[in-house]
């Protein structure tokens, strides 16, 4: 559920920072983002600013939910999970707005972009929308990464919350 202490440039525990020096935020309350969480008390926010090649993401190793032991995806298997996503413009010194999408990558290490597994398409503004994510990886990926992607505007900010287990 992306639980952590809200702060700029900090990811919730267990989530690695991708794109060195370009850090997502644990929200709400940072950069004027104030949408209430859909689960728990916090969520993850990520930015993409094309002009400065600033694109944020967060990743983690896939672990078995019951045992905590690493458990990679299996090539050709079908995987599903749900996640709440919203587009949210920012303010307070770093004004970012524009259409964005959530990208889900499979890889073999933190932040690896070996295969694009799923894309949300344009995400609605200020409205939490639950997406049913489904994908079939071509390899046995050990890591998953979420990344913000600005679609038609040079900048965008995306927030995610309430991710279910990957089944």
């Amino acid at each position: 559920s992306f639980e952590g202490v809200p702060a700029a440039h900090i990811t919730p525990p267990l989530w690695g920072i991708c794109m060195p020096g370009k850090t997502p935020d644990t929200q709400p309350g940072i950069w004027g983002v104030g949408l209430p969480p859909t689960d728990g008390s916090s969520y993850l926010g990520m930015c993409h600013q094309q002009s400065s090649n600033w694109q944020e993401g967060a990743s983690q190793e896939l672990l078995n939910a019951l045992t905590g032991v690493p458990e990679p995806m299996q090539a050709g298997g079908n995987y599903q999970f749900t996640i709440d996503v919203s587009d949210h413009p920012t303010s307070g010194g770093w004004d970012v707005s524009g259409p964005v999408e959530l990208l889900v990558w499979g890889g073999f290490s933190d932040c690896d972009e070996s295969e694009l597994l799923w894309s949300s398409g344009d995400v609605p503004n200020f409205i939490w929308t639950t997406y049913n994510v489904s994908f079939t990886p071509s390899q046995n990926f050990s890591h998953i990464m979420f990344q913000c992607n600005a679609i038609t505007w040079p900048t965008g900010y995306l927030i995610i919350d309430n991710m279910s287990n990957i089944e």
Side-chain angles (χ1 to χ4, degrees), residues 67-80:
T67 65
V69 173
E71 186 175 314
M73 301 175 206
Q74 298 301 303
N78 182 265
Y79 293 87
Q80 300 175 41

Side-chain angles (χ1 to χ4, degrees), residues 38-59:
T38 60
D39 185 59
S41 61
S42 64
Y43 48 85
L44 184 66
M46 300 177 282
C47 175
H48 183 198
Q49 186 174 37
Q50 295 175 0
S51 63
S52 64
N53 197 30
W54 185 284
Q55 188 172 25
E56 295 175 343
S59 74

Side-chain angles (χ1 to χ4, degrees), residues 102-127:
L102 174 63
L103 304 179
V104 178
W105 295 91
F108 297 103
S109 61
D110 278 335
C111 311
D112 183 12
E113 298 175 26
S114 289
E115 182 178 346
L116 180 61
L117 300 172
W118 183 84
S119 169
S120 65
D122 189 10
V123 173
N125 287 337
F126 300 106
I127 299 170

Side-chain angles (χ1 to χ4, degrees), residues 23-42:
T23 56
D25 310 301
T26 301
Q27 294 282 7
I30 311 303
W31 312 118
V33 177
L35 199 61
T38 60
D39 185 59
S41 61
S42 64

